[in-house]
């Protein structure tokens, strides 16, 4: 590999990968509507979360056609907390409403009628605006998985013939047109966990006034970590589209999806990750994912997302609830290592700006990845091995390392150390505020 040298300008003139503090990308899928106790609300502030994904079901908001309810008291309580702590809401417009719009022989799709769904969105939007919280409307959640795909039919990946794609896009169109007719400033995104489905949505004709794409970049069993996408350069279920570069990098997947949006809609769509995480026990090339791997993948995911220009990553999830062991907190209240990893990432990097990638830019799926974060008088570097292989970082004076902190927030004693281990788990290095770290391959072994 060729010699790499990244010389960094002084902080005041640094060009940043991200806009604003890194913390602005911190999101979390909460489970308060699915059994998570409200007593855990303070965890959001403790973790420095700036966005949550939350919802009130359509049948609860419109029990009879045209009869709309106010938000339930518990949701109002959460909104008050979100507003007070400057936390935004990704509100999921969910789901079918067979109570107000029962299916009939003549109209079997009445429970997912696009126009009625759009009116529900307008009602919810008005209430959220009145509550004084910042919010984004997410149109459904994984429509191929939940209700729409099954009711309307078609292939899971959206490839024609897939009538569910046409129906879903009509729902997106109704929500976008109706809500923006009332308030053009409201931000609206779509949702799907199958990456290629977004390409088919664009082919079907997503409205140009849509603000963004809501993706779920789960990588399944074929990827060693968040830097690698599920798809390959030529993946059968994705054809005729190419979702990633040859390196299968997450960065290329986001870039290509955004480019497709520009091609079809003539504008740069925002990309929101409204779910991403790992369940303990998930198979991977490194064996079953354990709780320590999940903890390591969490900051790596947030940093990779911010580097790709993703607006917000909502980690899945706050608590296990009904979905299995995905949570930062188990149902018995135990905080898993991923909780402390989130807390450490927030404490170390949350108030800083992601400024530059200084190692691994040409090889985003293998070897050491290092990113510089800066503040008014602070410089920190986060680094890890994308392929999870153990390496060492030399402490030979080229970097003025003042302090090193591990994944769980424990300070590493640097006295008499000649090198630091770099592997699966990110480490955070504090360096001199006026230092310009230089990177070369011989810094790691």
């Amino acid at each position: 590999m060729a010699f790499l040298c990244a010389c960094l300008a002084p902080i005041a003139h640094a060009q940043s990968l991200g806009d604003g503090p890194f913390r602005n990308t911190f999101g979390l899928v909460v489970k308060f509507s699915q059994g998570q106790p409200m007593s855990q609300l303070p965890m959001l502030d403790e973790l420095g979360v700036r966005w949550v994904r939350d919802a009130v079901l359509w049948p609860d908001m419109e029990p009879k056609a045209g009869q709309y309810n106010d938000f339930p008291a518990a949701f109002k309580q959460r909104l008050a907390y979100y507003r007070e702590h400057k936390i935004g809401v990704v509100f999921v417009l969910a789901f079918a409403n067979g109570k107000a719009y029962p299916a009939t022989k003549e109209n079997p799709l009445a429970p997912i009628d696009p126009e009625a769904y759009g009116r529900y969105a307008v009602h919810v939007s008005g209430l959220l605006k009145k509550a004084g919280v910042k919010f984004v409307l997410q149109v459904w959640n994984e429509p191929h998985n939940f209700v729409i795909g099954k009711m309307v039919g078609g292939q899971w990946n959206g490839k024609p013939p897939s009538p569910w794609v046409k129906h879903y896009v009509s729902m997106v169109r109704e929500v976008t047109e109706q809500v923006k007719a009332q308030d053009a400033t409201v931000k609206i995104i779509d949702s799907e966990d199958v990456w290629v489905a977004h390409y088919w949505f664009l082919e079907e004709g997503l409205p140009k006034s849509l603000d963004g794409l809501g993706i779920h970049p789960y990588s399944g069993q074929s990827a060693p970590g968040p830097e690698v996408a599920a798809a390959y350069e030529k993946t059968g279920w994705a054809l005729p589209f190419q979702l990633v570069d040859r390196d299968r990098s997450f960065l290329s997947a986001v870039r290509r999806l955004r480019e497709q949006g520009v091609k079809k809609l003539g504008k740069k769509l925002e990309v929101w990750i409204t779910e991403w995480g790992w369940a303990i026990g998930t198979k991977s090339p490194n064996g079953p994912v354990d709780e320590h791997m999940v903890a390591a993948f969490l900051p790596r995911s947030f940093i990779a997302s911010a580097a790709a220009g993703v607006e917000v990553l909502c980690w899945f999830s706050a608590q296990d609830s009904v979905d299995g062991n995905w949570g930062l907190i188990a149902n018995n209240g135990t905080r898993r290592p991923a909780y402390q990893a989130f807390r450490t990432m927030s404490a170390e990097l949350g108030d800083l700006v992601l400024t530059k990638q200084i190692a691994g830019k040409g090889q985003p799926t293998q070897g050491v990845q290092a990113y510089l974060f800066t503040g008014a008088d602070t410089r920190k570097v986060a680094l890890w091995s994308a392929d999870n292989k153990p390496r060492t970082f030399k402490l030979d004076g080229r970097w003025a390392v003042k302090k090193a902190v591990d994944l769980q927030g424990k300070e590493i004693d640097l006295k008499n150390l000649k090198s630091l281990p770099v592997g699966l788990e990110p480490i955070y290095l504090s360096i001199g505020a006026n230092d310009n770290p230089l990177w070369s391959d011989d810094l790691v072994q």
Side-chain angles (χ1 to χ4, degrees):
M1 185 167 58
F3 178 88
L4 295 174
C5 177
C7 299
L8 301 177
I11 293 175
H13 304 291
Q15 291 185 348
S16 301
L17 287 175
D19 295 326
F22 180 44
R23 186 184 312 286
N24 291 349
T25 69
F26 294 0
L28 186 62
V29 177
V30 295
K31 298 290 189 68
F32 297 118
S33 64
Q34 295 176 300
Q36 182 179 5
M38 296 277 278
S39 60
Q40 291 181 1
L41 268 170
M43 72 179 284
L44 302 175
D45 208 38
E46 185 176 340
L47 296 175
V49 169
R50 285 295 172 264
W51 288 88
V52 294
R53 199 186 75 176
D54 207 338
V56 179
L57 298 178
W58 182 10
D60 294 331
M61 297 305 299
E62 188 185 4
K64 293 182 179 179
Q67 177 184 310
Y68 296 100
N69 289 337
D70 197 355
F71 285 138
F75 188 70
K76 284 185 175 181
Q77 182 181 344
R78 299 202 293 275
L79 287 179
Y81 186 92
Y82 300 154
R83 181 181 63 250
E84 181 181 350
H85 293 266
K86 299 180 180 179
I87 297 170
V89 182
V90 178
F91 188 98
V92 181
L93 297 167
F95 285 113
N97 191 352
K99 182 185 291 187
Y101 304 97
T104 64
K105 185 176 180 180
E106 295 75 20
N107 188 5
L109 301 181
I112 53 174
D113 178 75
E115 291 186 16
Y117 183 72
R119 293 192 295 270
Y120 152 62
V122 170
H123 176 63
V124 163
S125 177
L127 292 179
L128 290 169
K129 200 82 173 182
K130 184 178 179 181
V133 295
K134 58 182 179 180
F135 67 94
V136 171
L137 298 181
Q138 177 184 306
V139 182
W140 212 267
N141 188 64
E142 299 182 2
H144 97 276
N145 266 336
F146 296 102
V147 183
I148 295 176
K150 294 177 175 62
M151 286 186 70
V152 185
Q155 301 188 68
W156 66 273
N157 60 354
K159 186 174 183 178
S162 292
W164 74 265
V165 169
K166 182 180 181 67
H167 190 92
Y168 176 69
V169 170
S170 70
M171 296 177 80
V172 176
R173 189 176 297 115
E174 283 292 338
V175 169
T176 305
E177 291 177 356
Q178 290 192 43
V179 170
K180 287 186 178 291
Q182 296 295 316
D183 187 343
T185 67
V186 175
K187 190 171 290 188
I188 302 168
I189 61 175
D190 77 351
S191 170
E192 183 53 70
D193 68 332
V194 178
W195 278 67
V196 72
H198 293 282
Y199 285 74
W200 291 117
F201 297 162
L202 287 163
E203 291 294 315
E204 182 60 37
L206 286 174
K208 289 189 176 182
S209 53
L210 185 70
D211 297 285
L213 305 174
I215 65 174
H216 299 173
Y218 296 116
S219 52
Q221 301 178 10
S222 63
E227 298 82 12
V228 181
Y232 291 81
E233 182 183 13
K234 294 181 180 179
T235 296
W237 51 260
L239 295 175
F241 306 108
Q242 181 181 342
L243 305 186
V244 292
D245 293 348
R246 181 172 295 180
D247 62 10
R248 294 180 59 202
S249 65
F250 165 79
L251 292 172
S252 70
V254 174
R255 188 198 76 241
R256 284 179 173 272
L257 180 58
R258 190 178 281 118
E259 289 172 350
Q260 191 72 6
V262 172
K263 178 180 177 181
K264 290 296 178 179
L265 298 183
K267 71 175 188 178
K268 182 179 177 181
L269 290 165
E270 293 181 358
V271 176
W272 290 63
I273 297 177
T274 60
E275 284 186 26
W276 199 7
W278 280 260
I280 297 169
T282 301
K283 293 180 180 179
S284 81
N286 299 319
V289 174
D290 62 24
E291 60 183 13
H292 300 289
M293 292 176 70
V294 175
F297 290 164
L298 186 149
R300 288 165 56 172
S301 300
F302 275 97
I303 294 171
S305 297
V310 170
E311 300 293 322
V312 170
L313 161 56
C314 290
W315 186 258
F316 192 88
S317 58
Q319 191 202 40
D320 290 350
S321 184
V322 298
D323 291 310
N325 52 3
W326 295 80
L328 299 177
I329 301 176
N331 285 340
N332 65 5
T334 300
R335 293 181 173 184
R336 295 197 173 99
Y339 186 100
Q340 185 59 32
F342 200 137
R343 190 178 180 183
T344 300
M345 174 187 69
S346 181
E348 290 297 316
L349 305 177
D351 295 327
L352 306 180
V353 174
L354 175 54
T355 303
K356 190 171 185 177
Q357 184 174 5
I358 57 177
K361 192 171 183 180
Q363 294 182 303
T365 62
Q366 57 183 305
V368 171
Q369 309 293 303
Y371 288 85
L372 176 72
F373 292 78
T374 62
D377 57 359
T378 305
R379 284 179 180 251
K380 292 187 180 183
V381 174
L383 67 163
W384 67 90
S385 288
D387 51 20
N388 307 319
K389 294 179 180 178
R391 294 174 169 85
T392 57
F393 173 80
K394 294 180 182 178
L395 295 171
D396 59 7
R398 278 180 281 181
W399 289 20
V401 178
K402 309 294 185 183
K403 181 180 177 183
V405 174
D406 69 13
L407 180 71
Q408 295 295 309
K410 181 180 179 181
E411 185 172 350
I412 301 169
D413 186 359
L414 298 176
K415 188 177 181 180
N416 299 323
L417 283 184
K418 294 182 178 180
S419 63
L420 286 171
V422 180
L424 168 75
E425 300 183 358
I427 57 174
Y428 306 104
L429 307 180
S430 298
I431 60 178
N434 296 317
D435 293 336
N436 289 324
L438 306 178
W439 183 270
S440 65
D441 292 344
D442 69 338
L443 274 169
V444 294
Q445 294 179 334

